Amino acid sequence: MNDIVLIGLNHKTAPVELRECIAFSPEEIAIGLDRLIKSPHINEVLLISTCNRVEVLMKVNEIAPAIKTVTSFISEIKNISLRQFENALYVHEGDKAVQHIFRVASSLDSMVVGEPQILGQLKAAYQLATTNKTSGVVLNRLLHKTFAVAKRVRSETGIGNHAVSISYAAIELGRKIFGSLEGKTVLLIGAGEMAELAVEHLIRHRTGDLIVSNRTFEHGVELAQKFNGKAIKFEEIIDSLKLADVVISSTGSPNYIVSRKQVKEVMKSRRNRSIFFIDIAVPRDIDPDINRINNAYVYDIDDLKGVINENVEDRKKEAIKSERIIDEAVINFKKWNESLAVVPTIVELRKKVETIAQAELNKTLQDLSHLSAHDCEALNRMISALINKILHDPTMLLKSTGSHWNKSSYLDLIQKLFKLDPR
Amino acid sequence: METLTNITIFLYMIGAAGYLAYLFIQKDYLQKIGCCLLLSGFVFHSTSIVYGFFQSGHIPVHNLNETLSIAGWAIIGVFLWVQYKFHLKILGVYAAPLAAFAMVMASQLSREPAPIKNVFNSVWLHIHIFAVFIGEASFALACGLGILYLLQEHTIKAKSHGFFYKRLPSLELLDLAGYTCIIAGFLLLTLGLITGFVYAKSIWGRFWSWDPKEVWSGITWLLYAALLHQRLVVGWRGRKSAVMAILGFIVILFTFLGVNFLLTGHHEEFTRW
C-alpha cells in the first residue's frame, strides 16, 4: 500500500500565520488539482484546506518526486519559499496515510477533538476532486471508506456528543449568558472564514440582526449580503457596540480594536445590557481587560479551548474506542488495496482462463475417444498457446511501468470484468 | 397539630435532600421528587396554619416559633411559584434547606404562645401579616437568586467552567427571576406597610409610631425602592442587582430577628421566645 501518500501541515505543526498563508481557496484548490494530476508521478489527488489544516492526499507512482511536485507547487502558488514551511510538513505513506485520513475525518486529529465540521469539509474536498476528475479507483474507495469510518466513529463512540467545536463552545457560553440567542444582534468585526463559520452557527440559533464591519468595505458588504445583514465602515464599530449583544472579532490587526475605556462608555448607553465578545483573532482584537467590566464578557480563542479541554478528558476512553475502529478499517482497506497489485491479478486471471479452458477441453475429449495420446497432447498445446496469445496484451498492459495511466483503474476493471478475487 | 408540623419538617428535609442530590447527580427525577415532597409538605404546612387559626382565632404569629414557621411556609410557597414560572429547579437547593432550617429552628423553640395583648383581629392585620411574610420570602429568594447569579457570573468571568457552570441556568434567567422576585416582594411589602399603617391608625390612632421594626421595615422598603429605581433609570442589572438583593435580605434578616433581640417595640412579643 506504499502508493498512497499524504502530505500536509496542521494546527499541531504550523502556527496560525503559516496556515493562513498556505490555506487554499476553492478556486486555488481546483487549479492545484489540475496542476498536480498532470504530474507523471501522481495518479490521483485530493486537496483539503480548512483553517486548521492543508493536506494533499495522493496515489502516486513514485513517492519522492510526487512530494517534490506538491511542495514546489505550494511554494509557487502561495509565493512562499520552501524553507518557510518545510519544517511544518508531515508525510504519511501507505497504512499511515490511510490511518491519518480516517483520523482526520473522525475528528480525532482536530484542534477540538470531536468537532463535526471536518467531515463536511472533507466531503466538499472530495466533491472538488471528483468534479475535477482527479480521484480514481483508489481514492474513491478510500474516501468512501473514510466517510463510513467517520460515521461509525460518530455513532458508536461518544466523541461527538458534547458541545465541542470552538464555535459550539462559544454558543453554549452565549446561552449561559443570554439564556437564548434568539433575536440577539451580532456584530462581526473582520470577515474571515472562521467568523463566517461562527455566524452560520449563530444564525441556526435564530439570532437577530447581523452587522458586518470589515477594513475593506467591499468584503464586508459581500458577507453581509450573504447573511442578509448590514455592512458598516470600520470606523463605526464603537457606535454599533451600542446595539450588538454578541461581537465576533477576527481581524489581522496587531493592536486591540476595542479598548476597555470604549466599552465602559458604551455600557452606559446600553443600560448595562450584557455584551459578549468572542475574540478569535490572534493576536487579539479585544482588550481582555474588558472582561472586568460588569456585564461584559470576553473570551478569546485560548479561553474557548480551555473550556473545551475539560470535555476532552472525559472523552479519552471514547478516543481509544475510535482508534480501534480506525485500525480495523485500515486493515480492511489494506487488504483491498493489496488485491489491486499487478502480479496477483495476472496470476488470478490466468488461473481463471486456464480452468475454463481445461474444463472445456476435458469435456470435448470425452466424446473424442478415438484420438491418440499424441493428438490430445497437440490439443493441449493449442489451448495453452491460445491462452498465452489472448492474455499477452492485457498482461503487457498491466506490467508496463512509467507510462502515465492509472494502473489501479485497469486492475479494478479487469477484476470486475472477470469476476476475480485475488485476495 | 404537632404531628402535622413534624410531617411538614420531615417532608421539607427530604425535599431538601432531593434537591441537593439533584445538584450533584443531575438526574431530573430527583428534582421532581424533591418538588413533590415540598409541595406535599406545603399542603401539610398550610393545613396546620389553618388549623391553628381556627383553634386560636388568630394567625399563628405570636412568638418566634410561629413566625419562623410562617416564614418557612412563605419561602416554600414563593419558591414553588418561582419554579413553576421560571423552571428554575436549581433554586430548590437554596429554598428547601432554608425553609427546612427555619422549621427545625422553630420546632426547637418554646411552643407557648406569648400572652396576647393589644391585638385585635382585623382584615387589615391579616393582609398585613401575609403581605409582609410573602413579600419577605420573595426577597429571600431574590437573595438566593443573587447568590446563584454571582456564582455563575464568577465561573463565566474566571473562565473555569467547573461544577456550577453546567448546573446553573443562564445569567439572564437568574437576573430576570431575581428582578421578578424583587418586584413582587416590593409590591407586597408596600401593601404590608400600608395595611400596617391602616391597622395602626385604627388601633392606636396613629399611622407611625417610630417602633424599631417600623423604622427598619421603612429602611428595607427604601433600599428596595432605590434598587428598583436604579434598575429602571440607570439600568442596574446583573451583578449590582444581585449584590443589592443579597444586602437587602441581610437588612431584612436584621429587621426580622435582630430588631427583636436588640431593640424593643410593639412588634416585640411576636418574635420573642
Side-chain angles (χ1 to χ4, degrees), chain A residues 176 271 291 293 296 299 310, chain B residues 156-157 161 168 171 232-233:
Chain A
K176 281 287 179 195
R271 298 167 53 83
N291 196 39
I293 299 173
Y299 270 71
E310 285 157 17
Chain B
I156 293 177
K157 287 254 180 190
H161 296 185
L168 296 183
L171 292 175
L232 290 172
V233 175

Side-chain angles (χ1 to χ4, degrees), chain B:
Chain B
M1 180 73 185
E2 203 158 317
T3 333
L4 277 179
T5 313
N6 284 338
I7 293 175
T8 307
I9 293 176
F10 179 68
L11 288 171
Y12 284 174
M13 282 174 76
I14 42 175
Y19 274 101
L20 283 173
Y22 173 64
L23 175 67
F24 286 96
I25 309 175
Q26 293 276 293
K27 293 271 186 278
D28 204 48
Y29 64 85
L30 288 169
Q31 166 278 126
K32 281 191 179 128
I33 293 171
C35 184
C36 290
L37 288 167
L38 289 190
L39 188 63
S40 37
F42 184 68
V43 172
F44 278 103
H45 203 164
S46 310
T47 315
S48 78
I49 290 168
V50 173
Y51 178 75
F53 177 77
F54 282 113
Q55 210 178 37
S56 67
H58 298 283
I59 297 172
V61 282
H62 298 125
N63 54 22
L64 188 58
N65 158 23
E66 289 172 349
T67 45
L68 272 175
S69 170
I70 293 272
W73 173 83
I75 287 170
I76 294 294
V78 176
F79 164 68
L80 289 171
W81 172 71
V82 170
Q83 165 147 4
Y84 170 75
K85 192 159 167 30
F86 293 101
H87 305 289
L88 256 170
K89 302 154 197 167
I90 206 69
L91 187 60
V93 172
Y94 166 83
L98 185 66
F101 178 71
M103 292 301 289
V104 171
M105 288 300 289
S107 70
Q108 296 306 310
L109 296 168
S110 129
R111 285 169 200 286
E112 280 300 307
I116 299 159
K117 45 183 183 183
N118 276 347
V119 174
F120 304 94
N121 258 332
S122 109
V123 169
W124 299 117
L125 182 63
H126 295 163
I127 298 176
H128 169 69
I129 290 167
F130 277 107
V132 167
F133 272 95
I134 297 174
E136 296 197 344
S138 304
F139 289 139
L141 288 185
C143 164
L145 288 163
I147 294 170
L148 295 183
Y149 183 95
L150 292 183
L151 277 174
Q152 182 69 307
E153 193 213 22
H154 178 76
T155 59
I156 293 177
K157 287 254 180 190
K159 295 160 185 177
S160 59
H161 296 185
F163 186 78
F164 288 110
Y165 178 73
K166 275 189 291 193
R167 290 169 167 81
L168 296 183
S170 66
L171 292 175
E172 182 76 27
L173 181 63
L174 289 170
D175 186 54
L176 178 68
Y179 179 52
T180 312
C181 280
I182 287 173
I183 290 185
F186 184 72
L187 291 177
L188 285 165
L189 185 64
T190 311
L191 179 69
L193 289 181
I194 292 170
T195 48
F197 293 150
V198 173
Y199 174 74
K201 177 77 179 166
S202 67
I203 302 296
W204 298 302
R206 55 182 187 274
F207 287 110
W208 185 268
S209 46
W210 294 105
D211 168 69
K213 199 147 215 157
E214 279 177 18
V215 174
W216 279 94
S217 295
I219 292 172
T220 313
W221 187 87
L222 285 174
L223 198 77
Y224 282 105
L227 168 56
L228 286 176
H229 174 266
Q230 288 299 88
R231 183 170 183 122
L232 290 172
V233 175
V234 194
W236 266 24
R237 50 170 72 231
R239 186 185 175 82
K240 271 187 188 155
S241 181
V243 170
M244 285 297 284
I246 295 168
L247 283 178
F249 186 59
I250 291 171
V251 174
I252 286 178
L253 277 183
F254 180 73
T255 315
F256 185 68
L257 301 170
V259 169
N260 300 290
F261 299 138
L262 305 175
L263 309 159
T264 52
H266 66 222
H267 279 89
E268 63 177 287
E269 58 268 27
F270 301 132
T271 42
R272 181 170 287 169
W273 43 39

Side-chain angles (χ1 to χ4, degrees), chain A residues 338-350 411 415 420-423:
Chain A
E338 275 171 357
S339 79
L340 273 190
V342 173
V343 176
T345 307
I346 295 173
V347 169
E348 201 62 24
L349 181 62
R350 277 200 90 85
L411 285 167
Q415 286 178 8
L420 304 178
D421 187 21
R423 250 161 275 189

Side-chain angles (χ1 to χ4, degrees), chain A residues 33-82:
Chain A
L33 290 172
D34 197 46
R35 277 278 295 280
L36 292 175
I37 200 71
K38 282 192 180 124
S39 151
H41 310 291
I42 299 171
N43 297 330
E44 302 177 30
V45 60
L46 173 84
L47 217 158
I48 311 151
S49 176
T50 73
C51 45
N52 283 333
R53 68 181 68 246
V54 174
E55 291 183 348
V56 182
L57 178 66
M58 303 175 285
K59 188 191 163 297
V60 300
N61 288 332
E62 268 178 281
I63 294 172
I67 289 171
K68 187 99 196 18
T69 314
V70 173
T71 48
S72 52
F73 165 71
I74 292 175
S75 127
E76 187 193 313
I77 194 166
K78 288 291 165 188
N79 208 1
I80 173 174
S81 79
L82 180 60

